Amino acid sequence: MNIGIGFDFHDIFVDSENAWKKVFLNMTKNNNIMKMYDKRISKKEICKIYNLDYENVEEEYRKILKPIEKNIEFAKKISEIYQIDIVSMARKERLIKDINKFKMNCLFSNMYSKDEVKNRKEFLKHLAKDYDWLLFFNHEIDKVNLDDNVIYFPINFQGDIKKFEKISF
């Protein structure tokens, strides 16, 4: 069986969401900024609204960004058997900086960023044409989902076993 493995990067291998929120809160002391972030308002737009220099905010973000060790260890084990692709909606330069900061570049075979991936679902379907199954791990779902031969897995395997009930190989 030919299996492909893909991961989103941010909030899988590094705690991006909490780092951004912490930086914004530290720089503004305004809790409303959390609501804006949760509504997916762009970081650059939030900086404009609060008169923050985006470059400074991003620099502070990198200082407090922390790895998610259990997920890195999981990927290391998988990478011993399968090649791993990163399919991220982040900018390429940001993705590479974060991968290099935590010395994870040896884990991944291919990195696809916002430049190549306009629509992640369509991109994964296209990538999956080379495989019997493409397993994609991300932080945005709570249950396993199947779309053609792409299986979306939540990265957090802890908790209720029912999240896996729809999947059978």
Side-chain angles (χ1 to χ4, degrees), residues 2 8 12 14 16-17 25 35 53 64-65 72 75 98 103 107 113 116-117 122 133-134 140 149 152:
N2 187 16
D8 195 347
I12 296 290
V14 294
S16 185
E17 180 177 352
L25 196 55
K35 293 175 187 170
D53 179 63
I64 63 171
L65 187 62
I72 294 170
D98 293 344
K103 299 172 180 60
L107 290 178
S113 68
E116 298 98 348
V117 183
E122 292 303 316
W133 294 104
L134 176 63
E140 297 171 339
N149 66 326
Y152 295 86

Side-chain angles (χ1 to χ4, degrees), residues 110-125:
N110 299 297
M111 288 182 283
Y112 303 101
S113 68
K114 189 176 191 173
D115 302 327
E116 298 98 348
V117 183
K118 303 303 179 211
N119 177 311
R120 185 168 51 200
K121 185 176 180 178
E122 292 303 316
F123 185 85
L124 289 170
K125 279 186 178 184

Side-chain angles (χ1 to χ4, degrees), residues 143-154:
K143 294 184 183 263
V144 174
N145 294 312
L146 178 63
D147 187 13
D148 292 331
N149 66 326
V150 179
I151 304 173
Y152 295 86
F153 283 96

Side-chain angles (χ1 to χ4, degrees), residues 11-160:
D11 294 313
I12 296 290
F13 297 114
V14 294
D15 193 2
S16 185
E17 180 177 352
N18 287 326
W20 280 112
K21 285 181 174 182
K22 186 173 184 178
V23 167
F24 280 134
L25 196 55
N26 288 346
M27 295 180 109
T28 65
K29 308 294 186 235
N30 186 328
N31 283 325
N32 288 330
I33 209 162
M34 299 301 111
K35 293 175 187 170
M36 293 176 75
Y37 186 94
D38 290 339
K39 289 181 181 176
R40 304 252 185 245
I41 295 173
S42 80
K43 294 163 200 75
K44 287 186 177 181
E45 186 64 29
I46 292 172
C47 287
K48 283 181 191 175
I49 292 168
Y50 285 92
N51 294 320
L52 300 171
D53 179 63
Y54 181 78
E55 302 302 319
N56 289 341
V57 172
E58 193 168 26
E59 186 177 321
E60 290 301 310
Y61 156 83
R62 286 220 154 49
K63 289 178 187 176
I64 63 171
L65 187 62
K66 302 278 189 253
I68 303 173
E69 295 295 343
K70 68 179 183 171
N71 295 346
I72 294 170
E73 288 304 313
F74 175 64
K76 283 179 182 176
K77 290 176 184 171
I78 289 176
S79 72
E80 293 172 5
I81 302 167
Y82 296 102
Q83 291 184 338
I84 297 175
D85 293 337
I86 293 294
V87 180
S88 173
M89 298 307 288
R91 294 185 331 264
K92 186 124 193 161
E93 61 274 3
R94 180 175 168 221
L95 180 61
I96 290 170
K97 279 183 186 180
D98 293 344
I99 287 172
N100 289 338
K101 177 179 180 176
F102 297 107
K103 299 172 180 60
M104 289 186 272
N105 39 354
C106 62
L107 290 178
F108 312 122
S109 300
N110 299 297
M111 288 182 283
Y112 303 101
S113 68
K114 189 176 191 173
D115 302 327
E116 298 98 348
V117 183
K118 303 303 179 211
N119 177 311
R120 185 168 51 200
K121 185 176 180 178
E122 292 303 316
F123 185 85
L124 289 170
K125 279 186 178 184
H126 177 74
L127 195 61
K129 290 178 182 179
D130 295 334
Y131 302 104
D132 295 322
W133 294 104
L134 176 63
L135 313 180
F136 184 70
F137 297 87
N138 69 64
H139 70 283
E140 297 171 339
I141 61 170
D142 294 330
K143 294 184 183 263
V144 174
N145 294 312
L146 178 63
D147 187 13
D148 292 331
N149 66 326
V150 179
I151 304 173
Y152 295 86
F153 283 96
I155 192 60
N156 183 2
F157 298 119
Q158 311 295 319
D160 189 0

